[in-house]
């Protein structure tokens, strides 16, 4: 949780290595206060990382959803590499070790369904054309255009 500490006049300012903690000394203007809160919230949002447990419960921030067994396998790759590209071939390799085969159309269909499931928890899957997919924070990704599952 981000924290903004108010330090009394003459008191020693706190020393903190926490990126989501800052301090101000009154009097502080409303603009300065809002700017500090915005920066703290931004740092907090950028430090959040999703988690996926063995039962298929995906948690991000204060929200969670459950996903199917197949979706759990797909999400495990995306969660482990949160913010980085997971190449399409890596998804295919993951399923080659199991009895389930995953062709291009099946992968696209699973990704489309996952995108819908992720909407309530502020996560999104972005297509990186010609390479694969990237799981990211939907709130910070709003400025980045999202392509459809076919990469167009």
């Amino acid at each position: 949780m981000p924290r903004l500490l108010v330090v009394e006049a003459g008191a020693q300012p706190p020393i903190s290595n926490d990126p989501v903690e800052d301090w101000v000394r009154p009097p502080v203007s409303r603009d300065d206060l809002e700017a500090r809160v915005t920066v703290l919230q931004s740092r907090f949002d950028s430090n959040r990382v999703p988690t996926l447990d063995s039962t298929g419960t995906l948690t991000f921030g204060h929200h969670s959803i459950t996903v199917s067994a197949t979706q759990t396998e797909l999400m495990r790759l995306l969660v482990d590499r949160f913010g980085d590209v997971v190449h399409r071939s890596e998804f295919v390799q993951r399923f080659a070790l199991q009895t389930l085969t995953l062709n291009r159309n099946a992968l696209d269909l699973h990704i489309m369904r996952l995108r819908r499931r992720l909407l309530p928890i502020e996560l999104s899957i972005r297509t990186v054309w010609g390479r694969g997919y990237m799981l990211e924070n939907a709130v910070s990704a709003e400025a980045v255009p999202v392509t459809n599952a076919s990469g167009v």
Side-chain angles (χ1 to χ4, degrees):
M1 166 118 353
R3 294 166 307 283
L4 185 62
L5 308 172
V6 179
V7 179
E8 290 183 32
Q12 284 291 98
I15 298 172
S16 175
N17 292 328
D18 190 344
V20 294
E21 183 174 279
D22 200 355
W23 60 274
V24 295
R25 199 180 300 274
V28 60
S29 73
R30 182 166 188 82
D31 290 341
D32 287 347
L33 186 61
E34 287 175 1
R36 296 246 181 156
V37 168
T38 300
V39 167
L40 283 173
Q41 189 63 49
S42 174
R43 284 186 201 154
F44 176 73
D45 289 341
S46 68
N47 286 335
R48 293 192 304 173
V49 176
T51 59
L52 181 66
D53 70 15
S54 60
T55 66
T57 300
L58 178 65
T59 304
F60 186 63
H62 299 294
H63 307 286
S64 63
I65 58 169
T66 55
V67 294
S68 71
T70 301
Q71 291 173 341
T72 298
E73 288 303 312
L74 293 172
M75 286 304 302
R76 192 163 315 285
L77 280 171
L78 291 164
V79 167
D80 289 346
R81 306 255 298 279
F82 183 66
D84 291 328
V85 176
V86 178
H87 295 271
R88 294 180 68 88
S89 61
E90 293 178 69
F91 290 108
V92 173
Q93 287 173 356
R94 170 69 59 104
F95 283 90
L97 301 174
Q98 302 173 3
T99 57
L100 179 66
T101 58
L102 188 67
N103 63 30
R104 182 179 181 87
N105 290 339
L107 177 59
D108 291 344
L109 181 63
H110 285 297
I111 294 294
M112 180 193 70
R113 288 179 179 160
L114 275 171
R115 283 182 170 138
R116 288 187 200 147
R117 293 286 298 135
L118 296 175
L119 288 175
I121 64 169
E122 300 176 347
L123 285 172
S124 67
I125 299 173
R126 180 164 51 115
T127 300
V128 180
W129 191 82
R131 294 178 61 204
Y133 299 100
M134 179 188 305
L135 181 65
E136 59 190 0
N137 183 338
V139 175
S140 64
E142 287 177 357
V144 178
V146 176
T147 59
N148 64 25
S150 65
V152 180

